Amino acid sequence: MLRDLKTSVIAVVVLTVVFGLTWPAIMTGFAQVAFNHQANGSLIKVHGKVVGSELAAQSFTKPQYFHERPSATAPAYNAGATTFDNLGPTSPDLAKAIKQNVQAILKLEGPYNPGLTVHDIPVDAVTTSASGIDPDISPAYAQLQSRRVAAVRHMSLSAVKKLISANTDGRSLDFFGEPGVNVLELNVALDKAQGN
Amino acid sequence: MSSQGISQVLVYGIVLIALSYPLGIYMSRVYDRERFLAGRLGWLRAIERGFYRTIGTDSSKEQDWKSYAKTVLVFSVLFSGLLYAIQRLQAHLFLNPDHLPAVPSHIALNTTASFVTNTNWQYYGGEYTMSYLSQMTGLAVQQFVSAGVGMAVLAAVIRGISRRSTTELGNFWVDLYRSCTYVLLPLALILTVILISQGVPQTFSGHATATTLEGATQTIARGPAASMISIKQLGTNGGGFYNSNSAVPFENPNGLTNFLEMIAILLIPAAQVFMFGRMVLARRHAWMVFAAMFAMFAIGVAVNYPAEQHGSAVLRASGVNITQGNGSSGGNMQDKEVRFGLANSAIWTTATSDASNGSVNAGLDAQTPAGGSVPLINLFVGEVIFGGVGSGLYGMFFYIIIAVFVAGLMVGRTPEWLGKKIEAREIKYAALGALFVPTMVLAMTAVAIVTKSGLASVYNPGVHGFTETLYAYTSQSNNNGSAFAGYGATNFSAEFGTVALYLGRFVPMLAALALAGSIGRKKIVPASAGTFRTDGATFVVLLIGVIVLTAGLMILPALTLGPIVEGLG
């Protein structure tokens, strides 16, 4: 019995050292050498300063930028504390939140899109993402925002659309997943196109 | 639903079979103590012998079911102590670059039970609760080891079925070592490298700080994530590095990683069915078990995907465009990610609840009543649709024995399974294994729904709150770990959940080992004309029927109170 106990104790220690320290250390060493950019958070730098990550949404409120999907984190787009919204499919609070999101979009995009109605708003624009930092919006939502961005920036609509397609991540290997427009990369590209 | 979405579902099924079959053959050799690695790669055997010498065990000695069970229990208790200690002491230990305080005691208790039992229910948010040390040496170690324990026990149970007139089921330390080192580790290595290349962080540096384009400050959590996420999927663990789990782009950056992680969720449990067929020399029977599991998996996807595409009541009433097409996936995108859309969220939700994995790439609380009842039902049948690594298949054995027994009653013969007579003792163990957990779930849900302390955890009002509660105890008792994540952590829910976690893991495990001990002592009787054939389509139908009747009927009243009322409302 005592012998069995001793065996278990040693096994716990050995397994913790192997799988808890050695394994992640070797993987970290490999990652830092072979995939340094990805291993450290896929950070995006502009003029040498970190402005965000390819893999995290951030808050955009100004009209010259494409806006992200709603986020349930506190504060919104907190890449240090991700969370779902967790409101159920029949929740009155969800109905209220969606209504507010719809009103905000109609108010923001309406002036640039005459005749815009609620039926023109794609669903991802008014629903919170699962992570709270979904870096993508649907191509449909990007199209909806394109007239505003073009007008505010005094750019041609076709130039903005060209940048949208350049910053659209298609399906992986043209097959897996769904296409999405990376909002931060798109906004960085817009700033760059105008010399900022 | 889109044609691209449907073809992704089909390709998933094909790739799963194509990879799990050869892996199953390989694994059947891994557990063959004498023959595996006898010739080439002798240095691996040398390392293995070194491990046995270090821990001081005689690897040639086999154990009977009681001794095997005792070793598993002692080992799990010791690991529980270590895991609890690491979480409570993390503030004073190294690898804590973001200076996180100690994990609160009730959360640490529940998390300990959760990871030692291969459940990974998360009452905490990974990136802001656990130091790198806790994630690496506490949680991720359990993701290897608790998976290894499940796989070891399955190997022992299968030996009981395949051997005759013996009490010996194998050596726990050999089975554990081989599960971790020859199966989990190489697969985790491949997956980790791919994940890192696609953008999953792997660093010991603390969080990054960015100044956003609009001048705000953003904290970006990172850490040694990839080495944990690979094993979290492969070992049907599910506990994420980040709070929003596999929905977070840092855990699951794109369609490719999503596909590979979904394959990893079901890969080993599916392969174990083929492994079983080889080890008991009944390959056709194994295919039939696989067919039953695969059919139930396919039904889950076929319900969830259209239900989510149809959208929730709130979204339909809002008037926004939920039609698929023109650059939008449409449907219920609440708590879903654009890069996955609906098809990949449906496959994931079904696979993770079939496999006792519990990781999610989309929120479950926000899913439609019909869509959300898919994971709930999958959990409730006891994680036997592929199920957890090891535990899924030995859980399925209970149902197989009940199915064979029912068939025996119908034809009036003593039931047999793989040449072994099934008698009163085996039926008792099978019934215990199959019915203990669902009964416990209903009892615990009842307590949690009538007490004030239980109701304090509920997030959404009305019937949806009931579903959250039912899901919480179903998930913990069946060692799944996924959640209707609005359900909150209180002292009561964390401690009550701890009981569910431990009992839900070890009662069926002991029943399975006892069953193996009892079956292993029997002689093989040759099949006769009166033997019910377990290698044909009739058996598949009967097995699914038994699962639906035993577990399905137990949950039907509860489903009526939850998702069904909500769907009608």
Side-chain angles (χ1 to χ4, degrees):
Chain A
M1 183 65 211
L2 205 65
R3 210 184 119 89
D4 287 349
L5 195 64
K6 197 176 142 200
T7 298
S8 278
V9 171
I10 301 172
V12 165
V13 173
V14 171
L15 291 168
T16 301
V17 170
V18 171
F19 292 113
L21 293 170
T22 316
W23 156 253
I26 292 174
M27 285 297 102
T28 305
F30 163 79
Q32 291 297 323
V33 173
F35 298 102
N36 192 277
H37 171 71
Q38 293 95 319
N40 291 300
S42 306
L43 302 175
I44 299 180
K45 284 182 184 166
V46 174
H47 306 310
K49 285 200 184 110
V50 176
V51 297
S53 164
E54 293 163 24
L55 297 176
Q58 58 180 241
S59 174
F60 287 106
T61 54
K62 293 183 181 164
Q64 71 266 35
Y65 286 125
F66 280 85
H67 293 188
E68 306 268 9
R69 298 180 63 195
S71 164
T73 62
Y77 314 107
N78 185 346
T82 57
T83 185
F84 308 102
D85 182 59
N86 286 323
L87 289 174
T90 53
S91 157
D93 290 346
L94 177 64
K96 211 189 293 168
I98 287 182
K99 204 168 174 184
Q100 280 171 1
N101 294 338
V102 167
Q103 292 308 328
I105 289 175
L106 289 176
K107 197 176 151 202
L108 180 67
E109 312 293 353
Y112 307 96
N113 295 273
L116 184 75
T117 71
V118 60
H119 305 297
D120 302 315
I121 301 176
V123 63
D124 66 294
V126 297
T127 46
T128 57
S129 63
S131 61
I133 55 167
D134 188 344
D136 295 329
I137 56 177
S138 68
Y141 187 31
Q143 293 302 327
L144 175 63
Q145 299 186 54
S146 59
R147 286 175 190 280
R148 165 178 50 88
V149 172
V152 173
R153 287 182 175 262
H154 306 294
M155 284 173 76
S156 72
L157 187 60
S158 64
V160 172
K161 289 198 169 177
K162 212 179 262 171
L163 284 175
I164 291 179
S165 55
N167 288 284
T168 301
D169 299 316
R171 295 184 168 87
S172 303
L173 310 175
D174 283 333
F175 187 77
F176 298 112
E178 299 292 331
V181 180
N182 190 304
V183 175
L184 175 59
E185 287 180 325
L186 174 58
N187 285 334
V188 168
L190 280 165
D191 280 352
K192 207 170 151 194
Q194 295 197 311
N196 294 319
Chain B
M1 296 192 292
S2 65
S3 56
Q4 288 103 330
I6 293 168
S7 50
Q8 289 184 48
V9 174
L10 294 177
V11 166
Y12 178 78
I14 294 165
V15 172
L16 178 67
I17 296 173
L19 291 179
S20 60
Y21 186 75
L23 179 64
I25 297 173
Y26 167 76
M27 284 165 65
S28 70
R29 294 183 188 147
V30 165
Y31 295 106
D32 188 333
R33 189 166 44 124
E34 300 306 324
R35 301 223 307 269
F36 185 66
L37 293 183
R40 291 169 299 157
L41 300 174
W43 58 276
L44 282 176
R45 282 299 286 270
I47 298 175
E48 185 179 348
R49 281 192 297 269
F51 173 75
Y52 303 139
R53 247 198 325 274
T54 311
I55 66 170
T57 190
D58 178 359
S59 64
S60 66
K61 238 169 70 184
E62 297 216 347
Q63 296 169 285
D64 64 9
W65 83 265
K66 282 183 186 158
S67 162
Y68 205 100
K70 204 173 75 187
T71 311
V72 170
L73 290 176
V74 169
F75 181 66
S76 300
V77 167
L78 284 174
F79 246 136
S80 295
L82 177 68
L83 179 51
Y84 184 82
I86 292 174
Q87 294 175 75
R88 296 292 288 149
L89 297 173
Q90 68 174 17
H92 310 291
L93 298 171
F94 54 104
L95 280 172
N96 184 14
D98 292 325
H99 306 290
L100 295 168
V103 181
S105 60
H106 65 292
I107 302 291
L109 182 73
N110 185 278
T111 306
T112 298
S114 175
F115 279 74
V116 170
T117 60
N118 195 242
T119 308
N120 293 205
W121 173 269
Q122 291 179 278
Y123 267 141
Y124 63 92
E127 71 270 42
Y128 52 87
T129 314
M130 298 289 171
S131 73
Y132 294 171
L133 187 78
S134 293
Q135 301 261 35
M136 284 164 44
T137 62
L139 305 180
V141 167
Q142 283 311 313
Q143 296 187 326
F144 275 102
V145 172
S146 71
V149 168
M151 294 164 76
V153 169
L154 176 68
V157 172
I158 292 177
R159 286 191 198 105
I161 296 165
S162 69
R163 292 176 178 180
R164 65 187 79 179
S165 314
T166 177
T167 57
E168 293 184 338
L169 298 180
N171 181 305
F172 170 73
W173 298 112
V174 176
D175 293 339
L176 177 74
Y177 180 89
R178 296 192 153 202
S179 304
C180 291
T181 320
Y182 300 145
V183 182
L184 294 171
L185 193 58
L187 290 171
L189 181 69
I190 297 168
L191 189 57
T192 305
V193 169
I194 298 175
L195 291 180
I196 293 169
S197 75
Q198 298 299 306
V200 179
Q202 183 70 30
T203 175
F204 290 136
S205 312
H207 68 259
T209 307
T211 306
T212 69
L213 292 191
E214 293 194 351
T217 303
Q218 187 183 34
T219 301
I220 297 167
R222 50 187 187 175
S227 61
M228 175 173 181
I229 287 153
S230 54
I231 188 61
K232 132 187 169 177
Q233 307 300 13
L234 287 162
T236 60
N237 293 288
F241 194 88
Y242 294 84
N243 184 47
S244 279
N245 208 282
S246 304
V248 177
F250 293 111
E251 286 207 11
N252 192 0
N254 56 43
L256 177 68
T257 58
N258 188 68
F259 183 79
L260 294 176
E261 289 185 38
M262 290 195 302
I263 288 289
I265 288 173
L266 286 185
L267 180 63
I268 293 177
Q272 283 174 325
V273 182
F274 298 119
M275 173 189 96
F276 161 67
R278 297 254 158 179
M279 287 173 77
V280 299
L281 305 177
R283 293 186 205 175
R284 272 184 65 92
H285 173 56
W287 270 109
M288 295 307 133
V289 175
F290 187 91
M293 291 174 166
F294 197 83
M296 288 187 282
F297 163 73
I299 292 169
V301 180
V303 171
N304 185 284
Y305 185 11
E308 292 303 298
Q309 187 76 65
H310 186 58
S312 66
V314 163
L315 281 171
R316 278 202 307 281
S318 73
V320 297
N321 186 354
I322 56 170
T323 321
Q324 184 268 326
N326 293 324
S328 166
S329 59
N332 180 18
M333 282 301 286
Q334 177 70 15
D335 283 1
K336 287 195 177 65
E337 300 276 297
V338 166
R339 64 194 180 285
F340 307 143
L342 299 170
N344 286 290
S345 301
I347 304 173
W348 190 300
T349 299
T350 310
T352 195
S353 52
D354 281 337
S356 122
N357 184 294
S359 63
V360 289
N361 74 346
L364 300 185
D365 227 339
Q367 297 206 2
T368 61
S373 59
V374 167
L376 179 58
I377 293 171
N378 283 342
L379 262 55
F380 202 86
V381 301
E383 298 299 3
V384 296
I385 310 171
F386 296 111
V389 287
S391 59
L393 191 55
Y394 70 65
M396 189 55 130
F397 291 162
F398 301 137
Y399 283 115
I400 293 175
I401 285 178
I402 294 171
V404 168
F405 173 66
V406 168
L409 287 181
M410 288 194 283
V411 296
R413 298 270 308 224
T414 310
E416 293 160 21
W417 177 41
L418 299 170
K420 299 288 183 73
K421 275 197 176 132
I422 301 301
E423 293 165 302
R425 183 189 290 266
E426 287 77 47
I427 297 294
K428 278 182 202 156
Y429 289 137
L432 176 70
L435 297 179
F436 174 79
V437 171
T439 313
M440 180 172 76
V441 169
L442 294 180
M444 294 187 101
T445 306
V447 171
I449 212 72
V450 297
T451 54
K452 237 190 203 139
S453 352
L455 286 172
S457 291
V458 169
Y459 181 66
N460 277 289
V463 286
H464 199 74
F466 172 78
T467 310
E468 281 177 1
T469 309
L470 177 66
Y471 201 96
Y473 290 100
T474 308
S475 178
Q476 293 179 87
S477 305
N478 284 291
N479 297 152
N480 180 282
S482 64
F484 275 41
Y487 197 78
T490 61
N491 278 324
F492 172 81
S493 67
E495 284 157 16
F496 207 43
T498 303
V499 176
L501 288 159
Y502 277 122
L503 288 179
R505 171 74 161 180
F506 290 108
V507 171
M509 185 184 278
L510 292 182
L513 281 169
L515 178 71
S518 170
I519 271 187
R521 281 197 298 271
K522 290 172 189 279
K523 290 202 263 303
I524 303 267
V525 286
S528 69
T531 305
F532 174 68
R533 292 181 63 103
T534 54
D535 58 358
T538 321
F539 171 73
V540 176
V541 175
L542 182 71
L543 182 59
I544 295 176
V546 162
I547 292 170
V548 170
L549 282 176
T550 12
L553 287 184
M554 285 186 85
I555 197 187
L556 192 64
L559 274 185
T560 315
L561 292 174
I564 293 179
V565 169
E566 193 178 17
L568 295 174

